[in-house]
């Protein structure tokens, strides 16, 4: 595999995968959807991270003719019955942004004590080949929800998420520190280990 497409328009996810791939020493070029003619975005209609990731990867493989990776990831909060889950990016509404999602989450957890604010980030990373072969890797990062936003790094719920064993939020960690423990980092490293074994 000399090239792989990451089925995302999120430049931060693309940068993250390229960085981890470069550190692995594997000579694989990571392309993003912006490197190809636009095609209709598939509807993420599944109720699981894995299902939605496969929808995105299959569409990318079909339209690019290259092996395609996609991830679906999000935040599961114990107090909210594992929500927002697959709705993490749209928790405050279809046209919301990170700030709105974080504000809503804080409001929903107002008054909930620290020992009941358990949560985890979940990532399902899948690979689909142009001929339909499918593989899945999953990563989780356990932690809890802080009572206020802290930090300027990362994206999404990072300013509110305190990884297990940390007093800093994910947004206060360096990129390398976050990669080492993150749900996406774990899934990507599992993919890279598999990729190295194919050589």
């Amino acid at each position: 595999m000399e090239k792989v497409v990451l089925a995302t328009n999120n430049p931060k996810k693309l940068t993250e995968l390229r960085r981890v791939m470069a550190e692995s020493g594997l000579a694989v070029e990571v392309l993003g959807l912006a490197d190809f003619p636009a095609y209709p975005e598939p509807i993420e209609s599944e109720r699981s991270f894995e299902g939605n990731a496969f929808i995105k990867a299959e569409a990318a493989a079909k339209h690019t003719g290259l092996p395609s990776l996609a991830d679906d990831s999000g935040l599961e909060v114990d107090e909210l019955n594992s929500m927002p889950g697959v709705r993490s990016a749209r928790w405050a509404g279809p046209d919301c942004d990170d700030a709105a999602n974080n504000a809503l989450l804080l409001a929903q957890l107002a008054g909930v004590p620290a020992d009941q604010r358990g949560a985890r980030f979940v990532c399902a990373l899948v690979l689909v080949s142009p001929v339909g072969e499918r593989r899945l890797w999953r990563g989780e990062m356990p932690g809890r929800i802080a009572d206020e936003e802290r930090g300027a790094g990362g994206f999404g719920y990072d300013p509110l998420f305190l990884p297990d064993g940390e007093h800093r939020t994910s947004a206060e960690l360096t990129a390398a520190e976050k990669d080492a423990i993150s749900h996406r980092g774990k899934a990507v490293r599992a993919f890279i280990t598999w990729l190295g074994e194919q050589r």
Side-chain angles (χ1 to χ4, degrees):
M1 190 185 303
E2 296 179 356
K3 294 183 179 182
V4 66
V5 179
L6 181 61
T8 186
N9 287 305
N10 183 327
K12 292 182 178 179
K13 284 188 179 183
L14 192 58
T15 297
E16 191 173 54
L17 179 58
R18 284 174 173 161
R19 181 176 65 243
V20 177
M21 186 69 77
E23 290 169 355
S24 76
L26 294 175
V28 177
E29 182 181 3
V30 180
L31 303 169
L33 293 182
D35 296 311
F36 300 91
Y39 60 86
E41 258 187 62
I43 297 172
E44 297 176 39
S45 55
E46 295 291 327
R47 294 186 177 182
S48 69
F49 295 117
E50 292 85 354
N52 286 325
F54 276 121
I55 287 174
K56 291 184 282 189
E58 286 166 355
K62 175 184 176 183
H63 286 278
T64 66
L66 290 170
S68 297
L69 280 171
D71 87 288
D72 198 47
S73 52
L75 180 68
E76 295 180 342
V77 180
D78 295 342
E79 185 73 7
L80 303 178
N81 296 315
S82 295
M83 296 297 282
V86 296
R87 295 181 48 84
S88 292
R90 305 173 298 281
W91 190 229
D95 300 316
C96 64
D97 59 11
D98 291 347
N101 285 333
N102 286 333
L104 177 58
L105 182 60
L106 280 176
Q108 291 171 322
L109 294 180
V112 176
D115 62 355
Q116 294 176 30
R117 297 170 80 97
R120 73 208 55 80
F121 275 122
V122 177
C123 173
L125 178 71
V126 305
L127 176 69
V128 175
S129 76
V131 295
E133 294 172 316
R134 294 156 47 113
R135 293 196 171 269
L136 163 69
W137 299 271
R138 184 179 170 95
E140 294 190 10
M141 177 168 60
R144 61 185 176 85
I145 305 301
D147 53 13
E148 64 179 1
E149 292 186 53
R150 299 202 314 263
F155 55 93
Y157 297 96
D158 283 348
L160 286 177
F161 189 82
L162 291 159
D164 275 358
E166 269 291 343
H167 61 276
R168 297 172 297 170
T169 69
S170 290
E172 293 176 297
L173 302 178
T174 66
E177 287 174 325
K178 183 182 170 187
D179 286 347
I181 62 171
S182 79
H183 53 309
R184 191 173 295 108
K186 291 173 182 175
V188 167
R189 284 193 298 278
F191 158 67
I192 287 174
T193 297
W194 172 83
L195 190 58
E197 292 168 350
Q198 309 310 302
R199 301 263 159 149

